[in-house]
Each structure stands twice: as structure tokens, then as C-alpha cells.
Amino acid sequence: MSLLHSLTADQHKQFFHDEIPYKPMGKYVHFLTVRVTESYPLFQTDGELNKARVRAGIKPANAAPISRLTMFKRKQSTPERLVGRELLRSYDLLTAKECEYNVEFGKNNPDCIIYGFAIGDAGSEKSKVVVDTAFSIMPFDISHETFTLNAPYENGTMASKGEGDSEVGKVTSRINSQDHILPQVFFPSIVTLKDPTEATFLYVFNNLLRTRHYGAQTTRTGKVRNQLVGVIFADGEILSNLRWTQAIYDHLQEQGKLTTVDPLDEDEVMSSAQLTLDELLSEGYVVSTNFLGESFKPLLQEVKALINDATSMKQLLEQADQEAKAYAGKHIKKPEAKAEKTTSNKPGRGK
Amino acid sequence: MVCIRRCQIELHDNLYYATREIGRLYETEPVLHNYALCYALGLVDSDAHGTQVSEEHGYRYFCPEQVPRYQEHLTPFNTQELYITPARALSHAAVLHTWKYANNNYHVEMEKTQKNIPSFGRAKEIAPESLFEFFVISQKPLALPRWIRLGKWMSKAEVKVINSQEVKKSATEQDFTFPYPLNPLDVMFTHQVFSYDVINMPPVSLIAHARIRGYYYHFADLKIPAQMQYRFQAD
């Protein structure tokens, strides 16, 4: 039974598998998104924001390197996974006990099968979702700001009025500073799903649309919106995030839209993202069906309608769950009782 | 006649794999092992390249155990007379990153670790836009993918064929030096290897600047050892 009606029966057959295959079969779907920051997120690992020094654009005129903010792949895929897992739990398809992220994988639910897991002796499932590091279009120096943080007293000031054991009038030294990414910073990013079934395609699509927070979670400031540019079904890999970002930079520069004072205009970024894609895709060597611009609208509308409705959402999750269970039953061998459970501690794939 | 292609790989993302593990530091050497390249280029267990392997060792999404199957996977390359050399860096930069495990709970209390294993560490990775070079030696023409994924993070990289040439094996065995990395297992059964530098990396350390004696292919101004094959045991 098909959930999507904006695709023809032939397209269904061409793009999706009937069941999750156990071998890579060469079907790919690429979700093209521009991740737009809407508050002040933090992507950092070593106490400072992640950045990379790369060429500004593809054109020889823009060959000089700039520092760009980066969003590591695991910082993109982890929140998306967690959103999916939360939903599975809220629809009673997964209990907190059965499967806990990076603690105890259930190995038979859509999250484990689609995004993979690795448990030392008990085997590993390769992730079917692959994400690339995303790079900001604009340079690091104009995409971040240093904030001073303080922890005021109950009275709202930094001077004590005698709270707790403190001395009246004493000024607190609870002050720190932290770099934050500014709002309206754009990260073009392609999320690739290998060998989709219709349900796994929708599962990943839903995770992408619903995830609104990335980066350090405790700061409560990581609002990021995934603005979808399109979906491409292909028989191989398409361009990289870096190439796409550099092409957008070139294009915006040509149009004279790169100013160092104002943030980029979202409409201009989106139209530039789409225009450059058309060009870059024509250089590739893959057979693809592109849903971009006008042709993407009906598909996106339908997916949005599907995931906005409790009945169809439940149906979709159940479908994905059944497929995952069927796959696990068929292809994932039960670990032998003697095998002691150990968790691999090397950095895993795509975590 | 064989066809030799000089190929380049440009990284479009950070590349990480553990060449060395020094406590909590995991270091990536700017050399790509030829076994790894065979997998990354999609040549293993491929119908298109005639390198199918037995069902039992098939390349699957689910791996029941963490045991590599290089011998089973790479021996079919020899019957196809297909060989990939290790890749050396033409230009590269390294970056250090800290990684740690994510936790799903709302509230985390620090507990004393039960096991003596790290939950965080630092990884030395190769930066985007680094450039690598390797050679493909094949009897038949073969189509390489333009985009591949490398290393533990499955980092995207672009493959370009720089030039290709049809070459014949040299008529006689000669002494020559090959400046770039080689897999010693793959040359030592057909060539005499006199001296070399070792590049330490599992599972088979590579050698560079090898002075060797044997047949070779003349490619551009290089002498590339001929008859290289994936060998795992003397027979």
C-alpha cells in the first residue's frame, strides 16, 4: 500500500524497495536542505566553535581561502535520530527500555536499522543515512558573536543583597564569555538515504522536517530550520556540501549580494541554492530524477500533510516499524549467549 | 597491454580513521591504504567489475562480527587483473577534534566509570580540500565513481582521473626506485625489495621509496612495479 500519491506507480517502483534490502542496491535519495539558524546555536567540541579553512568559491577569482563555520555530520544526524526515536516512543512502537541511544540498541526498530548501530561483539548495522559536514556560506568572522554570560543573583543584579551566605554588596565573579553563531547563517546540507523503502524515505523526511534544534542542547538556543530545496532520486552519490556551498558563494558574489554588514537574504540564498544545483548536477555522472522548484512543491505538500495528521503519521511509523522488524528477523542473527556485551569505544561511524 | 590511470582524490570533508591510537588520541596518517581504496571505490563484491564474492562473505549492511575479510574480498581482483595502489597526499592539512558520546537523558549525573574505557578522545583528522594521488592498473576499462566516501565518518571525496596511458611490461627485470607508497605484500612475491621506508599502519604497513628489482611499467616518468597482485600468503 502506498502512502504517497504525488509519485506515479512507476516512480514508486523505480525509487523504492518493497522491503529493506540486506545488501547495498544502488538506490539513493538525496534530501537537499539549507539549514538556517534562527537563534544563537553552538557547534563546538574543543571549547570553541567548529570551523574549517577552505576555498571561498569555485571560481578562480574566489580561490582565496576563508574560515567557515562547520556543522559536523554527527551534530546533524544525532538530533534527527532523537526526534524519530521520540516519535516512535510516543506512538508506543518503542519503549525506553527496549532501545536506548548509544547505550543499548534494540536492533529491530526503524531508527536502528535506518541509522545503524555498532555493538562490539554483537554485530553492527551500517547506516543507510549518510550526512556530510555542512559549511556556512559566509565567513566565520561575520557569522559569530562573542557573548558575555553572567549568573545574576535573585534580585537580578550582579551585586549581592545578602543571598545565601554571601556578603551584602559583594559583586559576583560568575562571568564567562562564549562565541555563538548568529541567526540567519546558512548551511547548505545534503542528507543521503541509501536503499529507501517508501516508509523509510518518509521516516527520514519527517525527522528532517521536525528537527528544530541542533548543537549544544543545554543552552536552549540552538534553533535551526531545515528549509528543503528538493529531493533527488539517483543511482549514486551527487555533489558534496562543500562544492554546493562554494557555488552559492560564487553566485551570490556575482549578484553583488555579499555584504559584510547585513545577514544574507533567505530568498536570495534559496534561489541561488537552486540555480547552482541545476548547474552542478549537470556535471555529474548519475541517472537521477530531480524534484526541485515547482516539481518539488506537490511532494513536499503531501509529505507535510502526512506528518501533520496523527492517523497517517501512525500508519507511516507502523509501516516503517514492520519493515524494520521483518529485516531484523531475516538478516540480523541473534547474538550467541556466550558473547559478553561490550560497547565499542572508538569513535563510530557517523555518530 | 594494461591501462594505468593516475587518479586524484580531493577531500570535501574531514577524513578520519585510526592509523595510530596513542592513549585517547587517534591519529590519521595522510596515506590511504589500498585495501581501503578498493572498498571506497565500490570495487569489492561488484557485479559490474566481476569481483563477486561468495554469499557467506558478501558485503552487507549488517555485519555479525567485526572481522575483516580482506583475503576473501580482494582475491577476485586478481582474476580481473585489477590493482589499486595506496594513495599518497599531494597536499594536506591536519585538524584536531574532540569527540564524545551523546546522551539521550534529560539529566545526567556523573558517575565513576565502571570500565576503564574512554568516552571521549581526540581525533587528528585530515582537513577538507586535501589532495591525494593513486594509480589504477587494469586490463579492462572501468568506470570509477566520481564521488566516494572515505574513513570512519564516511567523508565525501571527489575522484578525478588525471591521465591514463596504455603501457607494456618492461622486457627485462631491472633495478628501479618507486617513490610512492606500495603494499609490500603485493610486490614482494614478484619483486626483490632491497630497501624502503615503512609507513606504519594496520592491517599491512606500507612501504615508500622502495628500491626494487623486477618488471615494471613505464608510466610518464615513473617506473611502476608490474604484476602487482593482492597476496595474503605465499603459495
Side-chain angles (χ1 to χ4, degrees):
Chain A
M1 180 195 53
S2 60
L3 297 155
L4 281 173
H5 302 289
S6 49
L7 300 176
T8 65
D10 279 349
Q11 285 176 324
H12 269 273
K13 234 179 127 125
Q14 189 193 339
F15 303 153
F16 302 127
H17 292 288
D18 292 332
E19 53 178 21
I20 302 171
Y22 65 96
K23 266 189 173 194
M25 303 297 241
K27 286 191 184 184
Y28 288 75
V29 47
H30 305 279
F31 299 91
L32 303 146
T33 77
V34 176
R35 303 184 190 273
V36 192
T37 59
E38 292 191 322
S39 66
Y40 296 86
L42 276 168
F43 299 115
Q44 62 178 21
T45 39
D46 299 294
E48 54 179 295
L49 294 175
N50 298 135
K51 47 189 183 288
R53 203 158 169 79
V54 289
R55 255 177 99 119
I58 303 170
K59 295 218 170 88
N62 294 330
I66 56 170
S67 282
R68 289 196 147 100
L69 282 164
T70 59
M71 209 173 158
F72 285 152
K73 49 186 75 190
R74 54 191 182 279
K75 306 225 166 197
Q76 300 173 54
S77 59
T78 298
E80 285 160 18
R81 272 186 94 149
L82 296 182
V83 161
R85 298 171 63 90
E86 202 174 281
L87 264 180
L88 285 174
R89 283 196 290 265
S90 82
Y91 283 85
D92 294 327
L93 293 166
L94 188 70
T95 64
K97 254 193 173 158
E98 268 171 354
C99 182
E100 191 165 344
Y101 187 56
N102 276 347
V103 175
E104 170 112 50
F105 284 107
K107 301 195 279 186
N108 65 353
N109 52 64
D111 178 72
C112 286
I113 303 299
I114 299 171
Y115 289 89
F117 57 83
I119 326 167
D121 296 341
S124 63
E125 178 75 26
K126 291 192 183 78
S127 177
K128 288 158 199 70
V129 176
V130 259
V131 193
D132 261 335
T133 295
F135 300 85
S136 62
I137 298 172
M138 294 302 277
F140 166 73
D141 41 322
I142 59 165
S143 306
H144 84 288
E145 201 172 299
T146 309
F147 287 174
T148 304
L149 315 166
N150 56 23
Y153 285 105
E154 178 78 28
N155 63 54
T157 69
M158 300 302 283
S160 171
K161 294 257 191 314
E163 287 90 348
D165 299 333
S166 63
E167 206 181 298
V168 179
K170 189 153 195 227
V171 178
T172 175
S173 55
R174 291 175 298 200
I175 272 186
N176 199 358
S177 73
Q178 170 73 54
D179 282 352
H180 284 74
I181 299 172
L182 292 173
Q184 257 184 281
V185 171
F186 299 85
F187 295 87
S189 178
I190 302 169
V191 176
T192 300
L193 169 65
K194 289 164 80 176
D195 293 311
T197 67
E198 186 182 44
T200 62
F201 165 75
L202 289 167
Y203 182 83
V204 174
F205 207 144
N206 172 59
N207 288 352
L208 260 176
L209 289 172
R210 276 187 199 232
T211 309
R212 304 301 303 275
H213 277 90
Y214 292 84
Q217 298 201 339
T218 45
T219 57
R220 286 161 279 174
T221 64
K223 193 142 246 178
V224 174
R225 176 163 39 89
N226 289 315
Q227 200 59 36
L228 271 112
V229 180
V231 169
I232 293 178
F233 295 92
D235 62 354
E237 295 276 4
I238 57 167
L239 71 159
S240 69
N241 289 346
L242 181 59
R243 176 64 49 89
W244 190 21
T245 308
Q246 289 169 333
I248 295 172
Y249 183 93
D250 279 345
H251 186 258
L252 288 172
Q253 207 230 25
E254 221 170 62
Q255 312 279 311
K257 307 288 188 198
L258 293 185
T259 58
T260 48
V261 201
D262 300 321
L264 292 173
D265 180 80
E266 183 167 332
D267 296 334
E268 283 163 7
V269 171
M270 294 309 283
S271 69
S272 171
Q274 204 174 308
L275 277 171
T276 49
L277 257 184
D278 290 338
E279 269 171 52
L280 291 166
L281 286 170
S282 63
E283 295 170 7
Y285 314 120
V286 289
V287 180
S288 65
T289 312
N290 305 348
F291 291 86
L292 296 167
E294 284 305 311
S295 67
F296 179 53
K297 276 186 190 154
L299 181 63
L300 181 65
Q301 281 316 318
E302 204 191 346
V303 173
K304 277 186 176 163
L306 260 174
I307 64 175
N308 282 340
D309 178 75
T311 332
S312 55
M313 190 66 226
K314 186 161 195 272
Q315 197 187 353
L316 147 66
L317 290 174
E318 275 169 355
Q319 174 78 20
D321 192 52
Q322 275 165 20
E323 286 172 10
K325 296 262 187 306
Y327 174 90
K330 227 167 158 179
H331 304 294
I332 298 185
K333 290 192 195 90
K334 294 275 170 298
E336 284 156 41
K338 67 173 173 53
E340 201 190 320
K341 199 185 74 215
T342 49
T343 318
S344 164
N345 264 280
K346 269 196 256 172
R349 199 180 288 263
K351 243 175 234 163
Chain B
M1 292 287 257
V2 296
C3 178
I4 299 188
R5 261 156 290 195
R6 185 196 287 263
C7 304
Q8 278 183 7
I9 295 177
E10 187 189 358
L11 300 185
H12 280 235
D13 198 345
N14 290 306
L15 170 67
Y16 163 76
Y17 54 88
T19 315
R20 265 184 296 281
E21 297 174 10
I22 311 154
R24 289 187 177 185
L25 174 68
Y26 298 79
E27 210 180 335
T28 312
E29 182 86 16
V31 172
L32 306 176
H33 204 284
N34 61 337
Y35 295 170
L37 277 180
C38 292
Y39 287 93
L41 292 166
L43 301 173
V44 172
D45 196 12
S46 147
D47 294 338
H49 300 103
T51 54
Q52 299 93 335
V53 302
S54 67
E55 184 64 28
E56 163 196 14
H57 298 123
Y59 192 71
R60 292 160 172 249
Y61 279 121
F62 179 70
C63 313
E65 47 179 18
Q66 305 296 333
V67 179
R69 299 270 174 224
Y70 300 123
Q71 183 166 0
E72 289 84 352
H73 285 166
L74 298 175
T75 317
F77 281 55
N78 297 341
T79 46
Q80 294 297 321
E81 297 185 59
L82 172 61
Y83 189 82
I84 312 286
T85 71
R88 63 171 181 133
L90 293 174
S91 64
H92 81 279
V95 280
L96 266 176
H97 285 133
T98 307
W99 52 266
K100 63 178 186 209
Y101 284 115
N103 201 303
N104 197 1
N105 303 337
Y106 282 119
H107 177 76
V108 189
E109 242 168 64
M110 285 299 283
E111 285 171 33
K112 259 195 170 168
T113 41
Q114 302 294 308
K115 291 180 208 148
N116 185 22
I117 43 171
S119 60
F120 71 93
R122 280 161 76 79
K124 186 175 162 192
E125 308 178 339
I126 312 288
E129 298 194 331
S130 295
L131 212 56
F132 289 85
E133 181 191 66
F134 67 101
F135 299 95
V136 176
I137 305 166
S138 70
Q139 194 67 242
K140 292 180 212 157
L142 87 166
L144 293 174
R146 178 162 174 211
W147 295 100
I148 58 168
R149 289 182 183 268
L150 290 168
K152 274 246 158 154
W153 309 134
M154 303 289 275
S155 316
K156 220 167 204 177
E158 190 178 13
V159 180
K160 271 187 198 149
V161 179
I162 301 302
N163 58 351
S164 67
Q165 201 180 317
E166 297 246 315
V167 290
K168 261 196 182 126
K169 195 172 80 176
S170 64
T172 55
E173 300 200 2
Q174 275 185 21
D175 285 4
F176 62 96
T177 305
F178 188 69
Y180 307 143
L182 286 174
N183 187 325
L185 279 187
D186 303 344
V187 287
M188 62 190 254
F189 293 105
T190 47
H191 293 69
Q192 263 182 290
V193 184
F194 302 120
S195 68
Y196 48 82
D197 298 337
V198 178
I199 306 167
N200 265 315
M201 61 187 337
V204 179
S205 287
L206 301 176
I207 56 172
H209 305 110
R211 283 228 327 111
I212 40 187
R213 180 175 177 80
Y215 292 104
Y216 61 86
Y217 299 119
H218 210 111
F219 177 85
D221 51 353
L222 275 176
K223 287 175 180 171
I224 301 177
Q227 305 164 307
M228 281 196 287
Q229 280 200 328
Y230 296 96
R231 297 283 281 267
F232 298 90
Q233 56 208 20
D235 45 22

